[in-house]
Amino acid sequence: MKVLIADNAGFCFGVKRAVKMAYDQVNNGDDFKTYAYGELIHNPQVVKDLEDKGIKTIENIDELDENSKVLIRTHGIPEKIYEELKEKKVEIIDMTCPFVKRVQKIVNGYYKKGYSIVIIGDRNHPEVVGVNGWCNNSAYVIQSTDDVNSLPFLDKACVVAQTTITQKMWEDILALLCRKVKELISYNTICDATNKRQSSAEKISKEVDMMIVIGGKNSSNTQKLKKICEKNCDKTIQIESADEIDLIILKEVETVGITAGASTPDYLIQEVVDKITSGRKGE
């Protein structure tokens, strides 16, 4: 069997940076109680390992006191929560992805200048929730071209993208927004790593009999990779770990493609490769 791995798969820069910072906190030996506000990344294995090492995930900052240290997730948080953490006088370790931080600053700056804010993305995704929190939760969140129809006509607006949406989604919605906004300032804030990961996944999905997409079930960028691959390869599955692979489905497969979401560590990718290759050898 031939196994192809996408050129751009697994940890992106922001996630790799956050995971390193988190494990550095585990190993620094101080007496602070360390918490993560929300799941640091969308990968259950990494989150569980950090929790096993003492970094508890919380959703409510009321659990924190002055002897606490809190890690800000890669997706970022709303400005209001950031200020509340400062008031609690806890130590803040900000792991917000620098690309997400840039989106927050753009939104905050134009909001203060009196612009309406439009975010293209999933309104329930933590990144979008966080970004919206930097314009007093006043943004119009657009998830599809249909949403543009319900948007009121705006005098002036600034539009940004959730960093993990597809380029097609951005272009399709932006074209319609131009008809709804008199003065539209646009920032294509899709992360370059997202574009590269999606392009490489699309490329190999055209060359294989089956695609395996590795990543957390709640990972937005992983779900988008799956949709891209499904357009080119009918046999596309999404898994979180090698344990989910049923080797029976590989019996009539000659070429397998593998890609992985931005929160998937290299060792999980390798475990999938090892299971596939060893399983076929044992037939």
Side-chain angles (χ1 to χ4, degrees), residues 67-236:
N67 293 319
S68 299
K69 185 183 297 186
V70 61
L71 313 182
I72 306 301
R73 64 192 304 168
T74 51
H75 303 100
I77 58 174
E79 183 180 27
K80 182 175 181 292
I81 294 177
Y82 211 101
E83 294 304 319
E84 289 174 354
L85 288 172
K86 288 181 180 178
E87 290 174 7
K88 281 184 167 290
K89 298 180 180 178
V90 298
E91 183 179 346
I92 301 172
I93 311 295
D94 192 352
M95 298 179 178
T96 305
C97 171
F99 296 107
V100 175
K101 183 74 77 174
R102 174 175 174 258
V103 186
Q104 293 174 348
K105 289 180 179 178
I106 291 170
V107 163
N108 188 246
Y110 277 94
Y111 172 71
K112 289 178 178 177
K113 292 177 183 177
Y115 283 73
S116 297
I117 302 298
V118 179
I119 305 171
I120 300 176
D122 178 356
R123 62 176 52 89
N124 296 314
H125 191 275
E127 179 191 321
V128 175
V129 172
V131 170
N132 196 10
W134 289 85
C135 60
N136 199 31
N137 297 311
S138 66
Y140 298 98
V141 182
I142 305 297
Q143 296 186 222
S144 68
T145 53
D146 290 339
D147 289 341
V148 182
N149 297 326
S150 60
L151 196 69
F153 286 95
L154 302 172
D155 183 45
K156 59 180 185 179
C158 173
V159 57
V160 296
Q162 179 182 335
T163 58
T164 55
I165 68 169
T166 63
Q167 185 66 27
K168 186 179 187 306
M169 181 179 180
W170 167 260
E171 292 173 357
D172 289 350
I173 293 176
L174 187 65
L176 296 176
L177 279 175
C178 292
R179 305 173 192 172
K180 283 278 191 172
V181 184
K182 185 176 180 181
E183 179 194 345
L184 182 65
I185 295 176
S186 63
Y187 286 89
N188 184 344
T189 49
I190 300 174
C191 175
D192 184 53
T194 296
N195 278 327
K196 289 180 179 178
R197 185 176 289 102
Q198 291 174 356
S199 295
S200 60
E202 182 173 31
K203 180 178 181 294
I204 69 166
S205 66
K206 296 176 180 178
E207 304 170 2
V208 298
D209 302 318
M210 180 177 181
M211 277 297 299
I212 298 176
V213 184
I214 313 167
K217 294 293 194 294
N218 59 342
S219 166
S220 173
N221 74 87
T222 303
Q223 291 167 6
K224 288 179 177 66
L225 287 174
K226 182 173 182 280
K227 287 180 180 178
I228 288 170
C229 293
E230 284 175 333
K231 291 178 181 178
N232 305 307
C233 183
D234 291 336
K235 289 185 178 180
T236 296

